[in-house]
Amino acid sequence: MGKRVLIVDDSSMMRKMIAKLLQPSGHEVVGQAKNGLEAIEMYKSLKPDIVTMDITMRDMDGLSAAKEILRYDDSAHIIFLSNLDEEKYRVEVERLGALGFANKHNAKEILGLIDIQ
Amino acid sequence: MCADANCEEYSTKKKSFWGEPYLQTENALSLKTKALFFFFLTILLTLVAVADVLYESTNHWVRVLPTDSSSGTLVHENIINGDAGIDGVTRFFPVLLTGSLVLLLFTLIVGMIFLLRNIIIPLENIADAVRRINEGHLDKSIPIQAKDEIGHVIESINDMSVNMQEILLYIWNNNQQNFKLIDSMEEQLNKYLDNKTILSQLKKDIARIRQNNEEVQTLVTTFNYFEVKLEHEKMVSDPGQDNTASNF
């Protein structure tokens, strides 16, 4: 079933890659944000089903942005993406109550988390 | 003409934006020099024109009238200021002229300041920052002063640097997986392949792949990344000490 997804990543290349990853499964990319502030704005106006959030972003990092979004809408579904596979992020993710954590380049993991919903 | 930054012959040592000396190709005539030269020349000429107007208006714009028979003196009549039936406009001619020249002077100075502050200095900063990115500092971004055309350029350069980091980290990850696969392959071959000739050639090829992999990894590890450190076999998060350290 196709979900409406907001992609958040400061790398334009990464946003493109994730969009390509999501399309074949029938998900719709409703927006692309390149930093935490844009992510919050776009979440408020677009109300997507899922948010893929890059953790390591310049200016405002993904965790802070996610906190803001969850403060605005605690039912938000946020999937954290990162190059790193560190335990400390998983802990933070649990604490925030976000959907989950996946490696940026692991397509299966990402799609799996989305389809759970 | 030497365009390479490593060319000793034509380089001069300059202090960079961050206070480190670096070698830079010499500018024959920089924008800054040309602009300052142009403006100062024009300002000088304007001042000369102003001085000339003031001088002329007090000394030369006079007409000698025939001698006043009664007093026996020459009467100089100032054509511009004089009241020999000349209308009020010409009375103010030197004032008007001086006024416009002063206005021109003011405009030139403002123009020069604008050009320097908004275009030439930002360009110098951008050149510095991009050079640093090219030297491998993908961990820092260029601060944006104004959201104008220059700001757009800076934004795009920062984006390019972010993309470069993503690409390189992707390559590194990919290669790490390749190393594991290569090791596994070699192990299997050693275990199950008895034919010495085939085995030796395969091992040579595997060694070659491993070497190629290592060379790419060496290249990738020469870069500095934003909040990521590539330690031997591991990609770890490396959050900066404070946020200001992540800007050029």
Side-chain angles (χ1 to χ4, degrees), chain B residues 8 11-15 21-24:
Chain B
E8 293 285 347
S11 303
T12 51
K13 277 225 186 317
K14 257 186 82 164
K15 272 256 170 185
Y22 69 92
L23 295 173
Q24 192 196 36

Side-chain angles (χ1 to χ4, degrees), chain B:
Chain B
M1 184 79 73
C2 192
D4 187 350
N6 291 323
C7 188
E8 293 285 347
E9 229 182 302
Y10 297 102
S11 303
T12 51
K13 277 225 186 317
K14 257 186 82 164
K15 272 256 170 185
S16 86
F17 195 42
W18 303 272
E20 284 174 24
Y22 69 92
L23 295 173
Q24 192 196 36
T25 54
E26 207 170 79
N27 284 328
L29 260 183
S30 72
L31 270 183
K32 198 194 269 182
T33 320
K34 285 189 220 172
L36 288 172
F37 178 76
F38 167 78
F39 280 115
F40 280 126
L41 188 64
T42 327
I43 288 170
L44 187 68
L45 291 174
T46 313
L47 287 172
V48 167
V50 171
D52 186 55
V53 168
L54 294 174
Y55 176 74
E56 299 272 359
S57 70
T58 53
N59 285 326
H60 288 167
W61 289 325
V62 298
R63 185 174 62 206
V64 178
L65 293 176
T67 326
D68 186 315
S69 35
S70 55
S71 63
T73 57
L74 285 172
V75 176
H76 290 242
E77 179 199 335
N78 192 319
I79 292 181
I80 305 301
N81 287 330
D83 35 26
I86 295 170
D87 59 63
V89 174
T90 52
R91 193 181 285 257
F92 294 108
F93 183 66
V95 179
L96 210 60
L97 191 55
T98 320
S100 357
L101 287 171
V102 168
L103 190 64
L104 177 64
L105 200 72
F106 176 74
T107 313
L108 284 169
I109 292 174
V110 168
M112 174 174 75
I113 293 174
F114 176 87
L115 188 67
L116 269 171
R117 264 192 55 185
N118 292 65
I119 297 180
I120 297 180
I121 304 261
L123 272 180
E124 272 184 345
N125 294 344
I126 292 176
D128 251 1
V130 175
R131 190 189 47 81
R132 288 280 283 192
I133 289 174
N134 284 335
E135 284 171 1
H137 284 274
L138 301 180
D139 50 346
K140 298 198 160 111
S141 40
I142 312 174
I144 298 176
Q145 247 84 46
K147 286 220 142 210
D148 57 9
E149 287 83 348
I150 301 266
H152 291 331
V153 174
I154 295 179
E155 216 177 321
S156 297
I157 293 175
N158 283 341
D159 199 25
M160 219 160 49
S161 166
V162 166
N163 283 343
M164 269 184 80
Q165 168 157 332
E166 292 295 326
I167 293 171
L168 288 167
L169 292 180
Y170 183 85
I171 291 175
W172 193 90
N173 250 321
N174 192 57
N175 283 357
Q176 288 300 109
Q177 291 176 38
N178 284 352
F179 277 131
K180 293 204 182 92
L181 291 169
I182 291 170
D183 287 339
S184 152
M185 267 173 69
E186 210 173 22
E187 193 187 314
Q188 302 224 22
L189 287 171
N190 280 331
K191 237 198 263 184
Y192 300 112
L193 194 58
D194 294 320
N195 188 320
K196 288 293 175 196
T197 356
I198 299 177
L199 184 59
S200 96
Q201 182 55 44
L202 277 171
K203 287 185 89 160
K204 273 209 206 103
D205 292 341
I206 288 175
R208 193 60 240 239
I209 296 177
R210 197 184 268 121
Q211 195 191 342
N212 288 344
N213 230 33
E214 264 159 21
E215 281 167 11
V216 176
Q217 294 302 68
T218 309
L219 169 67
V220 173
T221 49
T222 61
F223 285 80
N224 296 98
Y225 298 97
F226 175 73
E227 288 189 357
V228 168
K229 213 178 347 193
L230 297 178
E231 276 162 14
H232 183 64
E233 315 265 301
K234 286 208 74 173
M235 189 190 294
V236 294
S237 89
D238 180 30
Q241 297 307 83
D242 56 281
N243 278 328
T244 57
S246 69
N247 269 351
F248 279 124

